[in-house]
């Protein structure tokens, strides 16, 4: 396919490469995306309702059981061929995902803009926690993710912006490009002269900045670019 060849040529000739991933990256590992409506016992909620500090304050047990359900699903899942291709591409990996599938596929040091399902912390003092209550201050343990309305980790965001500003090529995979400030990252790369390749089966606002738009899935198209 012409555009896969064009993407492969851009990757071959690029110096600094950034890969930017969203929930679609893990879809072929069986992890539902945010745009998929929640199913089963969560069908009556939307992620935006559950992924907020207010939801946690109102009903910590409900919010914890959603995150425990998601963590268990990730532990049962396996990285897909797309995660493996991202590890092979190397460069700087910036992910909005809170799963550990990139790490398990061999990506060394992903920048997690929205935290991790595997890093619970104290709701009050922010320190890492291992049990239900913070050993330091007695505060409640919370999932180690960034909720809607919360600031992204400043160091991670600064590292991500710096990488996007200085790269030659940014490959955006499996993101609807709707959640800010993370959604700025591909635009930062484009305005600083990088070429942008998008991998997504559906149109997104990033269509307008993509030099190459690959309409398809991560697990099929990312390995194809590397062939
Ligand atoms: C902040 C962790 C401010 C938790 C997440 C109005 C306008 C603009 C912005 C706002 C607004 N109102 C509110 C805001 C701010 C808000 C925001 O952007 N809201 C959106 C919904 C409009 N942002 C925030 O609140 C952020 N914080 O702004 O703080 C502030 C300022 C000062 C002081 C204090 C605070 C925090 C945002 C972080 C939220 N946390 N995750 C958790 O996981 O539970 S975000 C969460 O949703 C995910 O992490 C992910 O990042 C995001 C969903 O995005 P995607 O990854 O793109 O996933 P999605 O399902 O949307 O799309 C999947 C795509 O994959 C689709 O395009 C699909 O076609 C594609 N796909 C499907 N299958 C495949 C595939 N692609 C490839 N292969 C496949 N097989």
């Amino acid at each position: 396919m012409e555009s896969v060849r064009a993407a492969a040529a851009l990757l071959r000739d690029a110096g600094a490469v950034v890969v930017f991933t969203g929930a679609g990256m893990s879809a072929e590992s069986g992890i539902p995306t945010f745009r998929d409506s929640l199913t089963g016992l969560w069908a009556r909620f939307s992620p935006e309702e559950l992924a907020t500090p207010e939801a946690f304050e109102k009903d910590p047990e409900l919010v914890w059981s959603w995150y425990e359900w998601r963590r268990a699903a990730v532990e049962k899942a396996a990285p897909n061929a797309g995660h493996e291709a991202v590890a092979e591409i190397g460069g700087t990996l910036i992910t909005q995902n809170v799963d550990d599938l990139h790490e398990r596929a061999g990506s060394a040091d992903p920048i997690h803009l929205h935290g991790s399902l595997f890093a619970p912390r104290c709701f009050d003092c922010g320190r890492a926690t291992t049990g239900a209550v913070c050993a330091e201050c007695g505060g409640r343990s919370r999932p180690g993710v960034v909720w809607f309305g919360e600031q992204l980790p400043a160091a991670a965001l600064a590292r991500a912006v710096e990488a996007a500003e200085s790269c030659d090529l940014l490959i955006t995979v499996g993101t609807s490009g709707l959640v800010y400030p993370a959604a700025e990252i591909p635009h930062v790369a484009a305005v600083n002269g990088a070429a942008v390749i998008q991998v997504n089966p559906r149109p997104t606002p990033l269509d307008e900045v993509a030099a190459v738009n690959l309409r398809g899935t991560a697990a099929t198209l990312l390995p194809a670019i590397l062939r």
Side-chain angles (χ1 to χ4, degrees):
M1 176 179 156
E2 184 48 39
S3 44
V4 168
R5 270 201 295 278
L10 282 172
L11 178 58
R12 194 182 48 244
D13 299 344
V17 177
V18 166
V19 181
F20 176 68
T21 65
M25 186 74 234
S26 301
E28 286 154 290
S29 295
I31 305 297
T33 71
F34 276 70
R35 291 300 150 316
D36 297 333
S37 51
L38 285 177
T39 53
L41 68 166
W42 304 108
R44 66 186 190 283
F45 296 101
S46 81
E48 281 78 5
E49 279 173 287
L50 289 170
T52 67
E54 295 75 21
F56 183 77
E57 296 263 29
K58 187 166 149 237
D59 190 341
E61 285 67 39
L62 173 78
V63 171
W64 257 122
S65 46
W66 184 49
Y67 281 95
E68 281 306 290
W69 176 74
R70 288 172 62 195
R71 190 182 54 74
V74 168
E75 285 185 339
K76 282 201 280 293
N80 62 59
H83 291 106
E84 285 156 9
V86 167
E88 195 179 328
I89 289 168
T92 303
L93 173 56
I94 304 166
T95 188
Q96 302 172 83
N97 298 340
V98 293
D99 64 49
D100 63 348
L101 296 175
H102 279 305
E103 288 86 340
R104 286 163 55 193
S107 289
D109 176 24
I111 300 173
H112 279 274
L113 292 180
H114 293 153
S116 166
L117 289 170
F118 300 90
R121 55 185 158 85
C122 176
F123 190 76
D124 299 323
C125 75
R127 288 188 185 88
T129 53
T130 48
V133 171
C134 176
E136 299 292 326
C137 76
R140 284 164 302 175
S141 180
R142 56 163 284 174
V145 299
V146 178
W147 280 324
F148 288 99
E150 292 188 320
Q151 296 262 26
L152 273 58
L157 185 57
R159 242 182 98 201
V161 169
E162 200 281 322
E165 281 170 343
S166 52
C167 71
D168 304 307
L169 174 66
L170 181 138
I171 306 172
T172 173
V173 188
T175 183
S176 58
L178 298 173
V179 177
Y180 283 82
E184 285 290 355
I185 294 296
H187 298 281
V188 168
V191 296
N192 282 278
V196 174
I197 296 169
Q198 178 172 227
V199 175
N200 196 316
R202 288 194 283 274
T204 78
L206 293 170
D207 287 12
E208 64 198 43
V209 293
V212 180
N213 233 337
L214 301 178
R215 279 274 180 274
T217 72
T220 52
L221 286 171
L222 288 170
I225 296 174
L226 282 169
R227 264 197 286 277

mmCIF file of all heavy atoms in Angstrom, residues 52-70:
data_model
loop_
_atom_site.group_PDB
_atom_site.id
_atom_site.type_symbol
_atom_site.label_atom_id
_atom_site.label_comp_id
_atom_site.label_asym_id
_atom_site.label_seq_id
_atom_site.Cartn_x
_atom_site.Cartn_y
_atom_site.Cartn_z
ATOM 1 N N THR A 52 -12.467 10.605 37.985
ATOM 2 C CA THR A 52 -12.388 11.969 38.535
ATOM 3 C C THR A 52 -12.173 11.901 40.052
ATOM 4 O O THR A 52 -12.615 10.942 40.688
ATOM 5 C CB THR A 52 -13.714 12.760 38.314
ATOM 6 O OG1 THR A 52 -14.732 12.129 39.123
ATOM 7 C CG2 THR A 52 -14.138 12.780 36.867
ATOM 8 N N PRO A 53 -11.506 12.933 40.613
ATOM 9 C CA PRO A 53 -11.340 12.947 42.078
ATOM 10 C C PRO A 53 -12.686 13.004 42.812
ATOM 11 O O PRO A 53 -12.859 12.430 43.885
ATOM 12 C CB PRO A 53 -10.517 14.217 42.328
ATOM 13 C CG PRO A 53 -10.333 14.899 41.032
ATOM 14 C CD PRO A 53 -10.855 14.053 39.941
ATOM 15 N N GLU A 54 -13.671 13.653 42.176
ATOM 16 C CA GLU A 54 -14.997 13.757 42.808
ATOM 17 C C GLU A 54 -15.618 12.369 42.955
ATOM 18 O O GLU A 54 -16.192 12.027 43.986
ATOM 19 C CB GLU A 54 -15.930 14.659 41.974
ATOM 20 C CG GLU A 54 -15.498 16.132 41.886
ATOM 21 C CD GLU A 54 -14.318 16.364 40.935
ATOM 22 O OE1 GLU A 54 -14.059 15.512 40.040
ATOM 23 O OE2 GLU A 54 -13.606 17.367 41.138
ATOM 24 N N ALA A 55 -15.482 11.551 41.885
ATOM 25 C CA ALA A 55 -16.060 10.195 41.945
ATOM 26 C C ALA A 55 -15.392 9.408 43.071
ATOM 27 O O ALA A 55 -16.055 8.691 43.835
ATOM 28 C CB ALA A 55 -15.859 9.484 40.604
ATOM 29 N N PHE A 56 -14.064 9.605 43.212
ATOM 30 C CA PHE A 56 -13.332 8.866 44.251
ATOM 31 C C PHE A 56 -13.759 9.325 45.642
ATOM 32 O O PHE A 56 -14.004 8.515 46.537
ATOM 33 C CB PHE A 56 -11.825 9.060 44.066
ATOM 34 C CG PHE A 56 -10.981 8.275 45.034
ATOM 35 C CD1 PHE A 56 -10.781 6.906 44.873
ATOM 36 C CD2 PHE A 56 -10.413 8.894 46.141
ATOM 37 C CE1 PHE A 56 -10.010 6.169 45.776
ATOM 38 C CE2 PHE A 56 -9.652 8.176 47.053
ATOM 39 C CZ PHE A 56 -9.442 6.812 46.859
ATOM 40 N N GLU A 57 -13.908 10.647 45.794
ATOM 41 C CA GLU A 57 -14.345 11.188 47.105
ATOM 42 C C GLU A 57 -15.736 10.664 47.457
ATOM 43 O O GLU A 57 -16.012 10.311 48.594
ATOM 44 C CB GLU A 57 -14.407 12.732 47.036
ATOM 45 C CG GLU A 57 -13.075 13.394 46.809
ATOM 46 C CD GLU A 57 -12.413 13.876 48.104
ATOM 47 O OE1 GLU A 57 -12.635 13.286 49.167
ATOM 48 O OE2 GLU A 57 -11.667 14.851 48.016
ATOM 49 N N LYS A 58 -16.584 10.589 46.408
ATOM 50 C CA LYS A 58 -17.986 10.203 46.647
ATOM 51 C C LYS A 58 -18.085 8.706 46.970
ATOM 52 O O LYS A 58 -18.814 8.298 47.856
ATOM 53 C CB LYS A 58 -18.812 10.529 45.385
ATOM 54 C CG LYS A 58 -20.317 10.345 45.533
ATOM 55 C CD LYS A 58 -21.055 11.033 44.348
ATOM 56 C CE LYS A 58 -22.350 10.265 44.041
ATOM 57 N NZ LYS A 58 -22.431 9.789 42.657
ATOM 58 N N ASP A 59 -17.322 7.900 46.224
ATOM 59 C CA ASP A 59 -17.468 6.446 46.390
ATOM 60 C C ASP A 59 -16.136 5.749 46.068
ATOM 61 O O ASP A 59 -15.972 5.169 44.995
ATOM 62 C CB ASP A 59 -18.591 5.955 45.451
ATOM 63 C CG ASP A 59 -18.975 4.508 45.748
ATOM 64 O OD1 ASP A 59 -18.160 3.804 46.392
ATOM 65 O OD2 ASP A 59 -20.070 4.085 45.321
ATOM 66 N N PRO A 60 -15.172 5.845 46.996
ATOM 67 C CA PRO A 60 -13.845 5.269 46.724
ATOM 68 C C PRO A 60 -13.888 3.778 46.390
ATOM 69 O O PRO A 60 -13.143 3.317 45.524
ATOM 70 C CB PRO A 60 -13.057 5.537 48.000
ATOM 71 C CG PRO A 60 -14.003 6.072 49.005
ATOM 72 C CD PRO A 60 -15.239 6.491 48.328
ATOM 73 N N GLU A 61 -14.802 3.054 47.030
ATOM 74 C CA GLU A 61 -14.871 1.606 46.768
ATOM 75 C C GLU A 61 -15.278 1.338 45.318
ATOM 76 O O GLU A 61 -14.696 0.490 44.643
ATOM 77 C CB GLU A 61 -15.875 0.895 47.704
ATOM 78 C CG GLU A 61 -15.379 0.709 49.139
ATOM 79 C CD GLU A 61 -15.226 2.027 49.876
ATOM 80 O OE1 GLU A 61 -16.095 2.895 49.674
ATOM 81 O OE2 GLU A 61 -14.219 2.215 50.597
ATOM 82 N N LEU A 62 -16.267 2.112 44.818
ATOM 83 C CA LEU A 62 -16.710 1.921 43.413
ATOM 84 C C LEU A 62 -15.550 2.217 42.468
ATOM 85 O O LEU A 62 -15.238 1.432 41.567
ATOM 86 C CB LEU A 62 -17.884 2.864 43.104
ATOM 87 C CG LEU A 62 -18.326 2.885 41.647
ATOM 88 C CD1 LEU A 62 -19.173 1.655 41.331
ATOM 89 C CD2 LEU A 62 -19.103 4.147 41.313
ATOM 90 N N VAL A 63 -14.871 3.338 42.703
ATOM 91 C CA VAL A 63 -13.777 3.733 41.789
ATOM 92 C C VAL A 63 -12.638 2.723 41.886
ATOM 93 O O VAL A 63 -12.118 2.266 40.862
ATOM 94 C CB VAL A 63 -13.311 5.168 42.105
ATOM 95 C CG1 VAL A 63 -12.050 5.523 41.324
ATOM 96 C CG2 VAL A 63 -14.436 6.154 41.800
ATOM 97 N N TRP A 64 -12.303 2.298 43.124
ATOM 98 C CA TRP A 64 -11.247 1.291 43.256
ATOM 99 C C TRP A 64 -11.623 -0.003 42.528
ATOM 100 O O TRP A 64 -10.792 -0.602 41.831
ATOM 101 C CB TRP A 64 -10.945 0.973 44.731
ATOM 102 C CG TRP A 64 -9.709 1.610 45.253
ATOM 103 C CD1 TRP A 64 -9.610 2.461 46.313
ATOM 104 C CD2 TRP A 64 -8.369 1.480 44.738
ATOM 105 N NE1 TRP A 64 -8.306 2.850 46.498
ATOM 106 C CE2 TRP A 64 -7.527 2.272 45.547
ATOM 107 C CE3 TRP A 64 -7.810 0.779 43.674
ATOM 108 C CZ2 TRP A 64 -6.147 2.365 45.318
ATOM 109 C CZ3 TRP A 64 -6.444 0.875 43.451
ATOM 110 C CH2 TRP A 64 -5.622 1.652 44.273
ATOM 111 N N SER A 65 -12.886 -0.420 42.602
ATOM 112 C CA SER A 65 -13.231 -1.709 41.964
ATOM 113 C C SER A 65 -13.137 -1.582 40.441
ATOM 114 O O SER A 65 -12.743 -2.532 39.765
ATOM 115 C CB SER A 65 -14.610 -2.211 42.395
ATOM 116 O OG SER A 65 -15.534 -1.196 42.349
ATOM 117 N N TRP A 66 -13.405 -0.392 39.880
ATOM 118 C CA TRP A 66 -13.235 -0.211 38.427
ATOM 119 C C TRP A 66 -11.762 -0.346 38.047
ATOM 120 O O TRP A 66 -11.395 -1.062 37.097
ATOM 121 C CB TRP A 66 -13.782 1.145 37.994
ATOM 122 C CG TRP A 66 -13.735 1.387 36.512
ATOM 123 C CD1 TRP A 66 -14.165 0.539 35.528
ATOM 124 C CD2 TRP A 66 -13.247 2.567 35.838
ATOM 125 N NE1 TRP A 66 -13.965 1.118 34.286
ATOM 126 C CE2 TRP A 66 -13.415 2.359 34.450
ATOM 127 C CE3 TRP A 66 -12.699 3.778 36.281
ATOM 128 C CZ2 TRP A 66 -13.043 3.321 33.489
ATOM 129 C CZ3 TRP A 66 -12.333 4.745 35.335
ATOM 130 C CH2 TRP A 66 -12.495 4.499 33.969
ATOM 131 N N TYR A 67 -10.890 0.288 38.866
ATOM 132 C CA TYR A 67 -9.456 0.234 38.526
ATOM 133 C C TYR A 67 -8.875 -1.157 38.762
ATOM 134 O O TYR A 67 -8.060 -1.645 37.985
ATOM 135 C CB TYR A 67 -8.691 1.327 39.289
ATOM 136 C CG TYR A 67 -8.869 2.664 38.627
ATOM 137 C CD1 TYR A 67 -9.860 3.555 39.043
ATOM 138 C CD2 TYR A 67 -8.120 3.009 37.505
ATOM 139 C CE1 TYR A 67 -10.066 4.755 38.389
ATOM 140 C CE2 TYR A 67 -8.314 4.201 36.840
ATOM 141 C CZ TYR A 67 -9.292 5.072 37.278
ATOM 142 O OH TYR A 67 -9.503 6.241 36.614
ATOM 143 N N GLU A 68 -9.335 -1.851 39.811
ATOM 144 C CA GLU A 68 -8.878 -3.207 40.064
ATOM 145 C C GLU A 68 -9.325 -4.124 38.911
ATOM 146 O O GLU A 68 -8.564 -4.970 38.447
ATOM 147 C CB GLU A 68 -9.432 -3.726 41.394
ATOM 148 C CG GLU A 68 -8.664 -3.186 42.585
ATOM 149 C CD GLU A 68 -7.160 -3.460 42.469
ATOM 150 O OE1 GLU A 68 -6.759 -4.620 42.590
ATOM 151 O OE2 GLU A 68 -6.379 -2.504 42.187
ATOM 152 N N TRP A 69 -10.554 -3.895 38.418
ATOM 153 C CA TRP A 69 -11.063 -4.693 37.282
ATOM 154 C C TRP A 69 -10.184 -4.447 36.059
ATOM 155 O O TRP A 69 -9.776 -5.389 35.368
ATOM 156 C CB TRP A 69 -12.519 -4.299 37.011
ATOM 157 C CG TRP A 69 -13.178 -4.928 35.836
ATOM 158 C CD1 TRP A 69 -13.624 -6.210 35.723
ATOM 159 C CD2 TRP A 69 -13.487 -4.287 34.580
ATOM 160 N NE1 TRP A 69 -14.183 -6.424 34.476
ATOM 161 C CE2 TRP A 69 -14.115 -5.252 33.761
ATOM 162 C CE3 TRP A 69 -13.291 -2.988 34.077
ATOM 163 C CZ2 TRP A 69 -14.557 -4.968 32.460
ATOM 164 C CZ3 TRP A 69 -13.730 -2.703 32.781
ATOM 165 C CH2 TRP A 69 -14.351 -3.684 31.996
ATOM 166 N N ARG A 70 -9.830 -3.190 35.838
ATOM 167 C CA ARG A 70 -8.984 -2.855 34.665
ATOM 168 C C ARG A 70 -7.581 -3.412 34.842
ATOM 169 O O ARG A 70 -6.975 -3.937 33.915
ATOM 170 C CB ARG A 70 -8.966 -1.340 34.461
ATOM 171 C CG ARG A 70 -10.281 -0.801 33.943
ATOM 172 C CD ARG A 70 -10.319 0.716 33.923
ATOM 173 N NE ARG A 70 -9.288 1.262 33.038
ATOM 174 C CZ ARG A 70 -8.922 2.543 33.068
ATOM 175 N NH1 ARG A 70 -9.453 3.381 33.944
ATOM 176 N NH2 ARG A 70 -7.996 2.985 32.245
#
